[in-house]
Amino acid sequence: MKTKDLFPIALATALVMSCASQDKTIDKQDVLRKLSLEDKAHFVIGTGMPGMSGDHAVIGATKSLVPGAAGTTYPLDSLGIPAIVLADGPAGLRVDAHRKGDKRTYFCTHFPIGTLLASTWNRQLVEEVGKAMGEEVKEYGVDVLLAPAVNIHRNPLNGRNFEYYSEDPVVAGKIAAAYIRGIQSNGVGTSVKHFAFNNQETNRMNNDARISQRAIREIYLKPFEIAVKEAHPWTVMSSYNKINGIYTSESKDLLTTILRDEWGYEGTVMTDWFGGKDGAAQVWAGNDMLQPGKAEQFMSIVDGVKSGRLKEADLDRNIIRILNLIEKTPSYQGYQPSNKPDLQGHAAVTRQSAVEGMVLLKNEDSTLPLASKATDIEVALYGCTGYDFIAGGTGSGNVNHAYVVSLLDGLKKAGYRVNEDLHKQYAKYITQRKAEIEKQQNAAAKKDKKKAMLAKFMPTPRPVEMSMEARQLERQARLSDVAIVTLGRISGEFVDRKMADFNLSTEERRLVSQVCEAYHKVGKKVVVLLNVGGVIETASWKDLPDAILCAWQAGQESGNSVADVLSGKVSPSGKLTMTWPVNFADAYSSRNFPIDKAPDLSLTNQGKAGNGEKDVDYTDYEEDIYVGYRYFDSFDKAVSYPFGYGLSYTKFDYTDAKINAKDDVINVTVSVKNVGKADGKEIVELYVAAPDSKRLNKPAKELKAFAKTKSLKPGEAETLTLTVKTADLASFDADTSVWRVDAGKYQLLVGASSRDIKTTLPIDVKARETKVHSVLRPMERFNILKRM
Ligand code: BGC
């Protein structure tokens, strides 16, 4: 985009004032007075993407200021207002590791993916991770991290679930708030994204999410509401998609009525990159900044004001909000970044945080931890991924990290012996397969340049699992003490996962069963390790191995973190933040999710008329509020692993659960005692079952609070307090646009998972109502509550 050249800014005086305090402030009214209409239109859009416009645009990758950052704001040099730098997020900072003509490196720490962080259910830990990440943001000269990403895990196949936290809005919101607090404690900003309903990648730029007002409020907006109210993110990023027919970035109902008028948000809203269509409508809606800026948005704003369609006052209001943001940033305050973040310290942070989010799904006969003396054990590693760990997902959520510790290296460093024959065999196989994959990709790139460029941001196909001879397996089973079969999955932006990615491939299934058969024959154990970014099918094979550990994608220290858990140095204490269904089709949303559709490669084709294809051009959220366990538990459906589930190397007893209610606050206390033999932490979940309501369907239970113990020694106990406000018990009644708490007897369920309720405490609650605006109405023909 060359808008800057078209309309040069001719401004003379510097308007920046210095206060008596150290903080520099901007005289915003004076700035407004000095800007022409064209200057104003420039200012609310970014600086474009040099060399990348139109259909060639991809996720942010500016080369100015901090190379590899997603974008910058528009500088007003003559007014002393610099461009500030915006960069992704969320598993760490995404900037280029290498710069032209510069020998030093700018690697960033690859922290665990969002799903793993949420699986810790540990807000304090997530805040610590945020603190560390934010230090890199600041020291590399970035002002706003484009994270956290809090969209709901509506369906297991969403390609970006790995960046997101949970199928439950309370988990997603509370974890996001902790992350934001941590990052922003460094004096840099965050951008909670993608606001909202960006629950699929297929046609994400145009998809119309058709959702009931109740599900909008209770499920999809809730994590944003919690994050905004509890942690005050400096910015919010609107999403690409539409909500009930209108682009979110053009929705005044969403960006002003709900976000600002109802929730009291005072920060800045920016679009997702190239999001939305009509620049004037975006400005009017309260989408302050349009990133990274398109010429047609510029024209639409200027023409809009000239024609009277857009009030200049609305543009001015947005400018003030952008100036408010700039004023707070290190760039404006003159901070000199060191370019030397504490990478070593952060490696320790990521290693430890990853450990807490790993979920032990199965552990027959205490297969794990492995025997205490590592050198006594030889481990046989099966599956390509164990030698080539996946640190995180792809697309804008990728991090340019210096290294990834594989399972092989992690175990070796922990002192384990590894079957070297098998290692050699895999090393050779992986090299060959990767070369073949690269060759195929290069050939495809020659045919289609656009695809080739996108391929850089997309997951590279994983090698098909190597087939093993029965005799060879038998020999290895005799020689080695234990087998670990690693299954890997990688996904990312632009493309949803396929059914084949959810299910095990024939080769993977064969590998798991052959290894289990060979090792069990000689009385040895098999552990399956999942290096995945999202849910996979487990029901059909989980009976075979002795133990299953879901390690997620645990960042650059993955192998060390997994070794810490396998060796028993630390008990796993993560729990699932989403339900693992028996079959993909069991999740209600699977009836309305784009299955195996081609990715949208046009990227900037906003507004192009689709052909009305279901789940591509529009998606009916027919399941309404029945997302995840709200569906499975309300309709008694079998699951493979329930929401909130996770084992430990020790056991816990829950006693003395009590309610202490005063005014509008309900406190539940419960004593958790470690009654096993190892140290461990326990997560306690508090669900509420509402009395039957004549007006609204109520789910069997809904999570309202959670807490985690410190590391408890055997015999040690801790009393946890879980707090719920009466207002949190409300359901949204769309007919009257009221958040309504029905009077009656509520059951407070204290559980170790959604299906392992330890104690039920009844409480009488008085009625209360809070009226809000009736906005974001779905089209009349879409009334899912009646259809269910
Ligand atoms: C993604 C955002 C990201 C932005 C900037 C978009 O494609 O959806 O999550 O922050 O690019 O890189």
Side-chain angles (χ1 to χ4, degrees), residues 49 58-61 69-71 86-90 94 146-147 149 160 163-164 193-194 198 201 204-205 237 240 271-274 395-397 493-494 603:
M49 290 263 228
V58 288
I59 54 170
L86 321 166
D88 292 304
R94 184 175 67 87
L146 303 174
R160 292 184 85 173
E163 292 183 62
Y164 305 149
K193 68 187 187 185
H194 310 86
N198 184 178
E201 285 302 280
R204 65 178 180 158
M205 309 289 279
M237 185 191 290
Y240 287 127
T271 58
D272 197 349
W273 266 229
F274 303 103
S396 58
E493 198 177 344
F494 306 116
L603 288 174

Side-chain angles (χ1 to χ4, degrees), residues 59-206:
I59 54 170
T62 171
K63 292 293 166 206
S64 66
L65 295 177
V66 179
T72 61
T73 58
Y74 190 80
L76 298 173
D77 292 332
S78 55
L79 301 180
I81 295 168
I84 64 163
V85 182
L86 321 166
D88 292 304
L93 178 67
R94 184 175 67 87
V95 297
D96 289 348
H98 304 279
R99 295 181 186 174
K100 239 187 177 165
D102 184 347
K103 281 206 184 103
R104 55 177 304 178
T105 56
Y106 298 82
F107 287 112
C108 297
T109 306
H110 198 318
F111 292 91
I113 57 167
T115 302
L116 184 151
L117 287 183
S119 306
T120 66
W121 301 63
N122 185 339
R123 278 165 276 191
Q124 207 184 328
L125 173 140
V126 173
E127 196 169 326
E128 289 304 318
V129 171
K131 258 187 207 154
M133 211 184 276
E135 196 253 355
E136 290 186 26
V137 173
K138 189 169 184 182
E139 293 311 327
Y140 276 142
V142 171
D143 298 289
V144 177
L145 185 75
L146 303 174
V150 304
N151 297 91
I152 289 289
H153 287 189
R154 173 180 178 246
N155 187 274
L157 292 193
N158 179 14
R160 292 184 85 173
N161 274 353
F162 74 96
E163 292 183 62
Y164 305 149
Y165 293 134
S166 176
E167 70 187 19
D168 180 82
V170 171
V171 176
K174 299 275 176 192
I175 296 294
Y179 179 100
I180 293 166
R181 279 194 296 270
I183 303 268
Q184 294 192 170
S185 68
N186 291 279
V188 293
T190 54
S191 193
V192 58
K193 68 187 187 185
H194 310 86
F195 190 56
F197 325 106
N198 184 178
N199 303 107
Q200 64 183 63
E201 285 302 280
T202 308
N203 196 21
R204 65 178 180 158
M205 309 289 279
N206 290 303

Side-chain angles (χ1 to χ4, degrees), residues 668-686:
V668 172
T669 52
V670 60
S671 168
V672 180
K673 185 171 181 186
N674 181 346
V675 292
K677 295 197 180 89
D679 292 3
K681 295 185 180 182
E682 172 68 335
I683 295 157
V684 177
E685 302 155 33
L686 181 68

Side-chain angles (χ1 to χ4, degrees), residues 431-572:
T431 313
Q432 275 170 0
R433 290 296 304 170
K434 281 197 162 174
E436 279 166 33
I437 292 168
E438 207 181 308
K439 212 165 135 192
Q440 281 161 13
Q441 284 192 319
N442 289 342
K446 274 195 189 139
K447 281 197 200 139
D448 187 334
K449 275 197 177 151
K450 193 161 75 181
K451 264 194 188 161
M453 191 172 68
L454 271 172
K456 285 198 290 192
F457 296 95
M458 300 250 222
T460 312
R462 306 284 303 162
V464 172
E465 287 303 343
M466 182 166 86
S467 59
M468 312 286 295
E469 304 252 329
R471 263 199 322 188
Q472 184 193 2
L473 270 169
E474 277 165 21
R475 198 171 147 266
Q476 285 156 0
R478 276 198 311 278
L479 294 174
S480 300
D481 299 292
V482 61
I484 301 179
V485 184
T486 306
L487 303 175
R489 289 289 181 280
I490 186 158
S491 69
E493 198 177 344
F494 306 116
V495 48
D496 287 314
R497 294 173 59 202
K498 305 271 184 275
M499 281 298 293
D501 199 66
F502 178 79
N503 292 320
L504 260 52
S505 67
T506 315
E507 293 79 9
E508 287 172 327
R509 191 174 294 268
R510 192 166 48 221
L511 181 69
V512 172
S513 52
Q514 282 185 330
V515 172
C516 289
E517 203 186 315
Y519 278 73
H520 289 165
K521 229 188 233 168
V522 290
K524 301 205 174 143
K525 307 272 193 195
V526 179
V527 179
V528 170
L529 185 77
L530 304 180
N531 182 197
V532 297
V535 179
I536 63 164
E537 188 275 323
T538 45
S540 71
W541 57 268
K542 68 181 181 183
D543 287 345
L544 301 176
D546 305 278
I548 306 174
L549 178 70
C550 176
W552 298 119
Q553 292 162 348
Q556 68 187 40
E557 287 284 326
S558 294
N560 288 333
S561 305
V562 174
D564 288 345
V565 173
L566 295 181
S567 65
K569 191 170 157 198
V570 189
S571 284

